[in-house]
Amino acid sequence: MDWRIDLQESDKEIKEHFASIGKLPKHIAIIMDGNGRWATERNQNRASGHRQGIETVRKIVKASSQIGIEYLTLYAFSIENWKRPAMEVNILMSLLEHYLKAELDELHANNVRFMTIGKSSSLPKAIQRLLIDSTEKTKTNTGLTLNLALSYSGRWDIVRAVQMLALDVRRGTCSPEDIDENLFSEYLSTKSIPDPDLLIRTSGEMRLSNFLLWEMAYSEIYITDKYWPEFTKVDLYEAILNYLTRERRFGKTSAQVQDNTQQVNISYLQRVINAIKL
Ligand code: FPP
């Protein structure tokens, strides 16, 4: 299905207005939390929460692509998640495999570039193969970059970067004096993508959970009480709208960061979003 055609009038209006403002977050990162609680509250097993979570992934990837987000990073499985019961880990791995097999053609047809970050060597071999093939197949696409964080943790990535940097110093390809923030970033697994502008976390928890620790130094944080399985594209629009109201100062004063770009008509956008909710 061509996602450009499959847009409702209200979505088009939002997309056009977001585009005209020119301040859309380039990169959105999401901590998809609350699958288990969503299921438990419905007397279902945790697996059904994860299955429903995949449905949300499908919708949010599509909506992000449709409104022109350039990078979407989803925290799908942390290194700490390996400590969950083996049965739950197996279910998550098979859902991931199923998702990729089922969605890859549609992602590719819609110009999505797929990539992953994380300790992929810990993943089952069949999944490693699938990730390599999916990345390879979509590597020249120019639309949304969908980045799955799999067997990932921020501290793991930082330590790995330090090890590789230390090796380069030992080899003599760089010296300790060369090391600055830009050079260090080049050693992280996120080197090819910009830092997230906006972090969304579902289910009301207020922590980073070892996600993109270096990269989120200046990300705006948006937390919603909704569980991931019930998060919708309208919730995504609300998060972006909220982001548009933030003043990003990066350590400067408010007066220093005043710009002349078009003012965001928040109340108009809120009306359009409310109309979709009805
Ligand atoms: C958090 O809910 C969610 C996860 C640990 C995994 C997220 C995975 C998916 C949505 C499915 C796989 C994803 C992709 C991209 C194929 P939780 O289990 O911690 O919920 P709880 O805190 O309510 O127990």
Side-chain angles (χ1 to χ4, degrees), residues 227-246:
Y227 295 139
W228 179 248
E230 58 196 3
F231 189 81
T232 65
K233 70 175 180 190
V234 177
D235 296 312
L236 177 70
Y237 297 161
E238 292 270 10
I240 295 172
L241 185 60
N242 184 285
Y243 166 87
L244 293 172
T245 65
R246 311 274 181 100

Side-chain angles (χ1 to χ4, degrees), residues 12-253:
K12 273 190 208 152
E13 211 173 332
I14 297 242
K15 178 187 164 135
E16 278 157 23
H17 201 73
F18 278 161
S20 72
I21 295 164
K23 283 182 182 167
L24 261 191
K26 223 184 219 285
H27 182 179
I28 298 181
I30 307 186
I31 301 179
M32 310 180 287
D33 196 12
N35 293 351
R37 278 164 285 167
W38 180 88
T40 307
E41 284 181 15
R42 284 159 185 76
N43 292 321
Q44 295 173 19
N45 56 27
R46 295 178 58 82
S48 75
H50 294 314
R51 267 195 294 279
Q52 200 56 40
I54 293 273
E55 290 311 311
T56 306
V57 169
R58 284 198 178 94
K59 289 180 204 155
I60 297 307
V61 169
K62 180 174 171 184
S64 301
S65 161
Q66 285 176 322
I67 58 172
I69 300 299
E70 291 179 46
Y71 300 88
L72 177 69
T73 297
L74 301 178
Y75 204 8
F77 195 84
S78 70
I79 288 184
E80 291 75 22
N81 287 152
W82 289 113
K83 295 180 205 149
R84 292 194 175 197
M87 199 171 88
E88 181 163 343
V89 170
N90 291 341
I91 286 167
L92 281 165
M93 291 299 139
S94 75
L95 283 174
L96 169 68
E97 188 173 354
H98 187 258
Y99 167 79
L100 271 181
K101 284 183 176 159
E103 298 300 310
L104 188 65
D105 285 344
E106 184 155 345
L107 292 172
H108 187 44
N110 284 287
N111 203 17
V112 174
R113 181 170 73 112
F114 176 82
M115 62 175 277
T116 60
I117 51 173
K119 194 178 176 193
S120 56
S121 59
S122 306
L123 296 165
K125 285 275 175 298
I127 293 193
Q128 289 184 35
R129 189 71 260 153
L130 194 56
L131 298 179
I132 292 168
D133 292 347
S134 309
T135 305
E136 182 61 25
K137 180 168 178 171
T138 61
K139 72 177 181 198
T140 56
N141 287 347
T142 53
L144 173 75
T145 294
L146 170 61
N147 179 28
L148 293 190
L150 288 166
S151 192
Y152 171 87
S153 92
R155 286 185 175 182
W156 165 82
D157 204 22
I158 290 169
V159 169
R160 195 190 58 103
V162 170
Q163 284 173 347
M164 291 193 303
L165 194 46
L167 280 174
D168 278 353
V169 170
R170 192 161 74 186
R171 282 189 204 113
T173 49
C174 77
S175 68
E177 295 73 33
D178 295 333
I179 301 171
D180 60 11
E181 292 184 11
N182 286 335
L183 182 69
F184 183 72
S185 300
E186 286 298 305
Y187 286 82
L188 292 168
S189 57
T190 49
K191 63 175 183 292
S192 60
I193 59 179
D195 289 342
D197 302 293
L198 171 64
L199 167 70
I200 299 174
R201 180 166 189 150
T202 57
S203 95
E205 307 289 349
M206 300 197 189
R207 54 176 172 268
L208 293 179
S209 297
N210 215 349
F211 190 36
L212 300 173
L213 297 180
W214 172 275
E215 297 84 345
M216 294 207 292
Y218 270 103
S219 304
E220 298 296 326
I221 301 177
Y222 178 86
I223 293 171
T224 167
D225 283 336
K226 281 208 176 173
Y227 295 139
W228 179 248
E230 58 196 3
F231 189 81
T232 65
K233 70 175 180 190
V234 177
D235 296 312
L236 177 70
Y237 297 161
E238 292 270 10
I240 295 172
L241 185 60
N242 184 285
Y243 166 87
L244 293 172
T245 65
R246 311 274 181 100
E247 183 180 68
R248 305 191 73 195
R249 293 196 291 275
F250 299 98
K252 295 182 182 169
T253 67

